[in-house]
């Protein structure tokens, strides 16, 4: 897609060949596995990692076979791929692929029909667990980034808290534990030589104050063309 941030970046940077190697659903653990392969096979001079909300805890959850996940005691562990019935059917239908991948309809059904009752104590415990797992993911991810930065330049792109921006908040919503993880990851990464951090929260906020246009679609939280354009410009400015 020529309107994605990596396609725009490839167009903007004539001295670089940009290769997008991400797979939908990948967490930070899978990013490192792909980066290791790319480093050995292509020896790139620059890596760009985009970090989004579900990258932290899902690096340990082993949700998708075929991906690598962090192990608490060792490094990365590959979960062998066995396609589910839904995925086998989705391969035969573009409409089912749209429901499954783009609209994440299984998650939506679980949210609608789920029987779990959320209490204050339950939510507090979940937040603590989320932070604990997320901090372990940050630590392991940064360890991998340190290794990559010995031979390549690295840019870590942090997604913004777009809901906070649309609500008029000045900074990330501190009531969301994922924003603590973003802040901690960004601060720690800045201390690693040959690593730069771009926090898109401030970039998106400035743009929204100017034009009052959303960066995502009305039906999900994926970036729209404007979101990709703003992110690519931030990257272009940093690389140049």
């Amino acid at each position: 897609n020529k309107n994605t941030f990596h396609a725009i970046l490839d167009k903007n940077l004539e001295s670089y060949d940009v290769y997008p190697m991400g797979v939908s659903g990948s967490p930070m653990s899978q990013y490192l596995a792909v980066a290791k392969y790319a480093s050995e096979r292509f020896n790139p001079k620059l890596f760009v990692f985009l970090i989004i909300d579900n990258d932290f805890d899902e690096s340990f959850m082993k949700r998708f076979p075929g991906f690598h996940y962090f192990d608490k005691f060792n490094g990365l562990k590959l979960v062998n791929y066995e396609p589910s019935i839904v995925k086998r059917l989705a391969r035969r239908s573009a409409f089912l692929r749209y429901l499954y991948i783009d609209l994440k309809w299984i998650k939506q059904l679980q949210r609608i029909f789920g029987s779990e009752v959320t209490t204050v104590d339950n939510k507090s415990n979940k937040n603590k667990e989320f932070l604990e797992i997320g901090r372990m993911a940050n630590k392991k991810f940064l360890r991998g980034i340190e290794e990559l930065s010995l031979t390549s330049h690295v840019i870590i792109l942090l997604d913004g808290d777009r809901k906070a921006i649309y609500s008029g908040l000045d900074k990330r919503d501190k009531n969301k534990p994922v924003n603590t993880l973003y802040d901690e990851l960004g601060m720690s990464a800045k201390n690693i030589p040959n690593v730069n951090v771009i926090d898109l929260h401030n970039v998106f906020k400035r743009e929204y104050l100017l034009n009052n246009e959303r960066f995502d679609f009305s039906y999900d939280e994926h970036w729209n063309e404007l979101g990709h354009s703003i992110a690519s410009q931030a990257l272009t400015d940093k690389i140049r």
Side-chain angles (χ1 to χ4, degrees):
N1 186 331
K2 66 180 181 179
N3 295 315
T4 57
F5 78 93
H6 43 78
I8 300 172
L9 193 66
D10 189 39
K11 181 180 179 180
N12 290 345
L13 301 175
E14 296 181 357
S15 60
Y16 285 82
D17 290 319
V18 179
Y19 294 96
M21 302 188 73
V23 178
S24 178
S26 299
M28 289 193 293
S29 52
Q30 180 68 11
Y31 297 168
L32 290 183
V34 173
K36 183 177 185 297
Y37 168 81
S39 181
E40 295 171 351
R41 186 72 180 268
F42 305 110
N43 191 31
K45 58 183 177 181
L46 170 64
F47 285 94
V48 176
F49 296 91
L50 170 62
I51 308 300
I52 61 174
D53 286 12
N54 60 359
D55 282 341
F56 301 97
D57 61 328
E58 291 187 6
S59 290
F60 281 97
M61 289 175 66
K62 298 182 173 63
R63 294 178 65 245
F64 297 114
F67 283 174
H68 293 78
Y69 294 92
F70 290 136
D71 184 272
K72 286 187 177 181
F73 304 104
N74 300 304
L76 293 170
K77 182 177 181 180
L78 174 64
V79 177
N80 291 325
Y81 178 71
E82 290 290 343
S84 66
I85 294 176
V86 174
K87 287 189 176 180
R88 287 198 292 268
L89 291 173
R91 287 178 178 176
R92 301 173 179 270
S93 168
F95 178 65
L96 279 178
R97 287 196 298 273
Y98 170 73
L99 291 176
Y100 183 79
I101 296 173
D102 292 326
L103 295 188
K104 302 184 185 302
W105 65 283
I106 290 181
K107 286 185 178 180
Q108 302 293 348
L109 290 175
Q110 289 173 340
R111 189 177 298 118
I112 294 171
F113 296 106
S115 59
E116 183 176 355
V117 177
T118 301
T119 65
V120 174
D121 288 340
N122 190 15
K123 184 176 181 180
S124 176
N125 290 334
K126 281 191 171 184
N127 287 346
K128 288 179 181 178
E129 182 182 8
F130 178 83
L131 282 173
E132 180 182 352
I133 294 173
R135 283 169 172 152
M136 285 194 294
N138 276 351
K139 184 177 180 180
K140 289 180 176 290
F141 178 70
L142 290 171
R143 193 176 300 154
I145 293 299
E146 287 178 350
E147 294 179 9
L148 284 176
S149 68
L150 296 176
T151 56
S152 302
H153 184 59
V154 177
I155 296 178
I156 298 177
L157 201 63
L158 304 176
D159 195 6
D161 185 352
R162 284 164 274 139
K163 287 185 178 179
I165 293 172
Y166 304 150
S167 300
L169 297 180
D170 183 52
K171 297 182 179 180
R172 293 179 180 273
D173 184 354
K174 294 301 181 183
N175 292 317
K176 295 169 60 178
V178 70
N179 285 322
T180 298
L181 297 177
Y182 275 120
D183 289 342
E184 291 177 355
L185 176 61
M187 287 187 291
S188 296
K190 289 177 181 178
N191 294 323
I192 303 174
N194 217 24
V195 174
N196 290 106
V197 177
I198 300 176
D199 189 343
L200 287 175
H201 184 81
N202 293 327
V203 178
F204 283 150
K205 184 181 71 173
R206 285 194 298 270
E207 178 69 20
Y208 190 74
L209 290 174
L210 286 173
N211 298 308
N212 197 37
E213 292 185 36
R214 295 177 63 99
F215 311 104
D216 40 44
F217 296 101
S218 58
Y219 54 84
D220 69 21
E221 296 184 2
H222 288 94
W223 292 348
N224 57 22
E225 290 185 8
L226 177 60
H228 280 274
S229 175
I230 298 301
S232 67
Q233 189 59 56
L235 273 169
T236 300
D237 293 342
K238 174 65 72 174
I239 295 170
R240 283 178 174 171

